[in-house]
């Protein structure tokens, strides 16, 4: 039962302005901070400033703290009343609600705008997904991003209960017969825009490492099993992974070869009896590697680049790698020491590994997430520029600030439009057509998205100043974004490599009979 809050006049509040008897008003809410003053993280003296003690400290408070602070139980209990005749004007975004900040949501979710891409099922799907993230994922994300532990099993189970792990692999035969989000959308109707929504909404946790920890390895490591694994292998692995009981990751990168997958040094040598491959080598920067049960591994056989499914066991060792984002992602260094792998675990043809790994889908997923995270930073900057006061005026009264905001908005809006166009093509192309026509488009999109995101990250830090390099407080999401955005520019292929890939694909399509 909520407690009854008394009506308090501003005159009465003003009487409580000294040590041991200290009240303040924040957005018409009256707080008794007499005992809290000595515990204030920023020191006791600032609370006795004439603009704070016994006064309306709303502007001062929101210049230093995020709205969520007021909602924390430890601080909410300090409220003793409300200013008589007044009511709070500041509200946070409610669970599942859309942002009211201009450009805080993609156009298709903004009031008064239209889109040819999204149907009613997509809108209902987004609303349910937003609430799922707010209610179930966000609280766990804040805790795990900090302590570095893997996502709570209860979260993985909740995702499995609505078949979210399966949906994250996109439309396809793997969804047949499954109930998606309690029947919200049928497997036959589920398309790449539904998957785009899932990926973009997952960024709502505001935690880059945790986002990858949520079975990011499955999104890129399981498709080769689904598409090229034997029926027996699929029956053993896929159900447990979709149920959140087992975990899988993609192990391609090495200290010796990253984007150059043909230069891998991990070897798979056929045993004398022809029943096993003996795998030796190492893998580095493998997402989810520390807690995976299965590894989709790129290696070299006598026939060339091949892909094997390796189960954790004798000869397989994983060690965590410290990176600039949270250990919750399970980034690993993996050692394979004379690991015996049944020949039946070969995924696709021997020497045909380049056709087994769908880098296009992996990069498209990264574009979805990166562009949505980019938009969240724009939302943070728009809000901060409106409430922050400098030289007695809002920050956004400065032309140079508005110029930065304009560039941020232009970048994210153009990228979202490009992404939606590519997604529409994916919905209307076969797998083979996607491979031949979209590899370059997606490579360019990812390159452009991560280059633009790094520009926005730099501008955002400038707008937030010292807060933008502080892990807590007003600029914590900006600091986090600036520190982790380079992951997007490297995972799935470095920017220069992707740009070159796109140009080479275009050059192959150049007609021979044209001249200026």
């Amino acid at each position: 039962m909520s407690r009854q809050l008394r009506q308090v006049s501003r005159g009465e509040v003003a009487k409580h302005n000294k040590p041991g008897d200290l009240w303040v008003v924040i957005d018409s809410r009256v707080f008794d901070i007499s005992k809290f003053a000595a515990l204030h993280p920023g020191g006791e003296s600032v609370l006795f400033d004439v603009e704070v003690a016994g006064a309306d400290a709303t502007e001062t408070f929101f210049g230093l703290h995020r709205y969520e602070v007021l909602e924390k139980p430890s601080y909410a209990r300090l409220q003793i009343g409300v200013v008589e005749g007044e009511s709070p004007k500041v509200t946070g975004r409610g669970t599942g609600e859309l942002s009211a900040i201009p450009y805080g949501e993609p156009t298709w979710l903004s009031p008064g705008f239209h889109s040819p891409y999204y149907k009613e099922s997509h809108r209902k799907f987004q609303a349910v997904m937003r609430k799922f993230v707010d209610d179930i994922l966000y609280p766990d994300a804040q805790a795990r991003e900090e302590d570095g532990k893997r996502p709570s099993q209860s979260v993985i189970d909740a995702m499995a209960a609505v078949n979210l792990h399966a949906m994250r692999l996109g439309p396809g035969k793997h969804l047949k017969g499954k109930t998606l989000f309690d029947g919200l959308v049928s497997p036959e109707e589920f398309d790449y825009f539904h998957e785009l929504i899932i990926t973009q909404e997952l960024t709502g946790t505001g935690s880059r490492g945790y986002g990858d920890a949520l079975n990011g390895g499955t999104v890129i490591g399981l498709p080769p099993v689904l598409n090229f694994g034997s029926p027996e292998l699929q029956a053993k692995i896929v159900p447990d992974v979709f149920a959140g009981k087992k975990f899988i990751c993609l192990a391609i990168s090495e200290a010796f070869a990253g984007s150059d997958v043909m230069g891998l040094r991990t070897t798979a040598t056929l045993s004398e009896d022809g029943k096993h491959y003996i795998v030796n080598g190492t893998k580095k920067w493998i997402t989810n590697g520390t807690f995976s049960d299965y590894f989709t591994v790129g290696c070299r056989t006598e026939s060339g680049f091949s892909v094997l499914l390796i189960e954790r066991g004798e000869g397989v060792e994983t060690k965590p790698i410290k990176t600039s984002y949270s250990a919750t992602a399970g980034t690993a260094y993996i050692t394979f020491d004379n690991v015996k792998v049944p020949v039946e675990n070969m995924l696709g043809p021997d020497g045909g590994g380049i056709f087994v790994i769908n880098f296009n889908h992996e990069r498209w997923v990264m574009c979805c997430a990166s562009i949505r995270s980019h938009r969240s930073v724009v939302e943070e900057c728009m809000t901060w520029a409106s409430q922050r006061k400098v030289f007695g005026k809002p920050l956004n009264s400065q032309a140079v600030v508005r110029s930065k905001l304009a560039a941020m908005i232009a970048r994210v809006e153009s990228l979202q439009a490009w992404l939606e166009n590519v997604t529409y093509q994916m919905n209307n192309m076969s797998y083979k057509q996607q491979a031949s026509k979209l590899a370059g488009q997606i490579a360019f999109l990812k390159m452009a998205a991560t280059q633009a995101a790094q520009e926005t990250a730099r501008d955002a830090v400038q707008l937030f100043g010292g807060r933008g390099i502080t892990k807590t407080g007003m600029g914590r999401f900006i600091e986090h974004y600036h520190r982790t955005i380079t992951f997007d520019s490297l995972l799935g292929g470095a920017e220069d490599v992707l740009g070159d890939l796109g140009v080479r694909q275009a050059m192959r399509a150049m007609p021979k009979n044209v001249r200026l």
Side-chain angles (χ1 to χ4, degrees):
M1 182 181 295
S2 59
R3 55 200 176 96
Q4 189 70 30
L5 296 174
R6 52 189 283 210
Q7 295 278 316
V8 185
S9 69
R10 288 185 175 273
E12 183 177 354
V13 173
K15 298 175 183 177
H16 302 271
N17 61 359
K18 53 186 178 295
D21 183 20
L22 184 60
W23 291 8
V24 296
V25 174
I26 301 175
D27 190 30
S28 82
R29 288 179 274 196
V30 180
F31 294 85
D32 182 349
I33 57 174
S34 303
K35 295 179 180 179
F36 168 74
L39 305 174
H40 184 233
E44 188 175 7
S45 61
V46 297
L47 299 178
F48 295 107
D49 185 281
V50 293
E51 294 184 355
V52 176
D56 190 325
T58 302
E59 187 172 312
T60 301
F61 177 87
F62 284 114
L64 300 169
H65 303 288
R66 301 181 68 89
Y67 176 82
E68 63 198 46
V69 171
L70 294 178
E71 297 182 312
K72 292 183 177 181
S74 55
Y75 298 126
R77 64 181 178 81
L78 301 177
Q79 184 179 357
I80 59 173
V82 295
V83 175
E84 57 185 7
E86 299 182 20
S87 59
K89 295 183 175 62
V90 181
T91 58
R93 182 179 66 82
T95 299
E97 290 182 358
L98 296 174
S99 171
I101 305 300
Y103 301 101
E105 300 285 358
T107 306
W108 74 277
L109 290 174
S110 302
F113 285 84
H114 308 278
S115 170
Y117 300 127
Y118 301 92
K119 299 178 292 186
E120 188 61 27
S121 73
H122 295 114
R123 296 183 182 279
K124 291 180 179 178
F125 192 84
Q126 182 278 328
V128 171
M129 189 65 201
R130 175 71 60 92
K131 192 171 189 307
F132 185 90
V133 171
D134 287 349
D135 286 341
I136 297 174
L137 303 188
Y138 185 84
D140 191 57
Q142 307 316 302
R144 300 293 79 80
E145 188 78 16
E146 188 63 28
D147 64 25
K149 297 179 181 178
R150 60 194 287 186
S152 300
Q153 188 60 40
S154 60
V155 168
I156 300 298
D157 291 343
M159 294 174 70
V162 295
N163 280 308
L164 200 46
H165 301 311
M167 286 187 280
R168 291 189 67 195
L169 271 61
K173 59 185 179 181
H174 61 282
L175 297 180
K176 186 177 180 180
K178 296 187 182 300
T179 302
L180 311 181
F181 258 131
D182 300 321
L184 186 63
V185 59
S186 70
E188 295 74 24
E189 187 180 10
F190 188 90
D191 63 15
Y192 285 110
F193 279 104
H194 290 100
E195 186 189 358
L196 178 151
I197 290 168
I198 291 173
T199 305
Q200 294 208 320
E201 289 300 325
L202 286 175
T203 67
T205 63
S207 306
R208 184 64 178 80
Y210 185 85
D212 279 355
L214 287 174
N215 282 10
T218 296
V219 176
I220 55 180
L222 191 59
V225 179
L226 281 172
N227 296 323
F228 297 94
S230 66
E232 295 76 19
L233 203 60
Q234 292 182 22
K236 176 183 177 181
I237 296 170
V238 176
D240 280 349
V241 172
F242 282 165
K245 297 176 181 178
K246 297 284 187 178
F247 301 88
I248 189 171
C249 66
L250 180 66
I252 300 292
S253 297
E254 301 176 357
F256 313 102
S259 299
D260 177 21
V261 295
M262 304 306 286
L264 299 178
R265 296 189 186 180
T266 296
T267 60
T269 306
L270 196 62
S271 62
E272 291 184 3
D273 61 9
K275 295 181 178 180
H276 296 85
Y277 284 102
I278 308 302
V279 179
N280 285 281
T282 60
K283 296 294 177 181
K284 197 170 186 180
W285 305 293
I286 306 305
T287 303
N288 297 176
T290 61
F291 55 79
S292 282
D293 302 286
Y294 302 105
F295 306 86
T296 301
V297 182
C299 52
R300 284 194 299 111
T301 64
E302 287 187 356
S303 301
F305 175 48
S306 305
V307 180
L308 285 171
L309 191 285
I310 300 179
E311 188 171 359
R312 184 183 287 273
E314 185 177 355
V316 179
E317 183 181 3
T318 58
K319 299 177 181 178
I321 296 176
K322 291 184 178 180
T323 68
S324 53
Y325 76 178
S326 175
T328 187
T331 309
Y333 181 82
I334 307 175
T335 303
F336 299 107
D337 186 10
N338 289 322
V339 181
K340 291 179 66 175
V341 183
V343 293
E344 292 81 10
N345 284 26
M346 176 72 74
L347 302 176
D350 186 7
I354 196 65
F355 304 108
V356 174
I357 307 299
N358 185 357
F359 291 109
N360 290 335
H361 182 261
E362 174 189 359
R363 290 163 183 159
W364 173 81
V365 168
M366 292 177 181
C367 290
C368 293
S370 184
I371 293 169
R372 189 60 182 85
S373 296
H374 189 162
R375 184 176 297 278
S376 295
V377 171
V378 172
E379 180 183 11
E380 290 278 306
C381 290
M382 288 286 286
T383 307
W384 177 243
S386 177
Q387 73 184 63
R388 170 65 169 164
K389 296 293 179 64
V390 290
F391 308 114
K393 297 180 180 179
L395 191 60
N396 59 16
S397 68
Q398 305 290 327
V400 66
V401 170
R402 296 196 299 274
S403 178
K404 287 185 183 297
L405 293 173
M408 290 180 185
I409 293 168
R411 287 192 284 261
V412 77
E413 285 295 306
S414 58
L415 289 167
Q416 180 74 19
W418 190 357
L419 172 65
E420 290 176 352
N421 177 41
V422 168
T423 305
Y424 181 78
Q425 306 310 319
M426 291 169 66
N427 270 348
N428 290 277
M429 287 183 182
S430 66
Y431 183 88
K432 187 175 182 179
Q433 287 174 322
Q434 289 181 36
S436 65
K437 294 184 177 296
L438 293 183
Q441 280 273 326
I442 293 172
F444 285 139
L445 175 58
K446 184 176 181 296
M447 179 192 73
T450 57
Q451 287 177 342
Q454 290 178 87
E455 290 184 60
T456 290
R458 183 179 62 248
D459 286 347
V461 170
Q462 293 301 310
L463 290 184
F464 274 77
R467 294 170 175 82
I469 55 172
T470 305
K471 286 189 174 184
T472 58
M474 296 297 295
R476 69 186 182 95
F477 290 115
I478 301 303
E479 184 279 331
H480 180 87
Y481 185 76
H482 185 262
R483 172 165 45 87
T484 61
I485 185 55
T486 47
F487 279 82
D488 291 353
S489 69
L490 293 174
L491 302 183
E495 292 171 350
D496 293 341
V497 172
L498 294 184
D500 184 60
L501 183 155
V503 172
R504 284 189 288 109
Q505 187 180 58
M507 289 173 63
R508 286 196 295 270
M510 281 291 292
K512 305 297 184 182
N513 61 341
V514 296
R515 297 292 185 273
L516 291 177

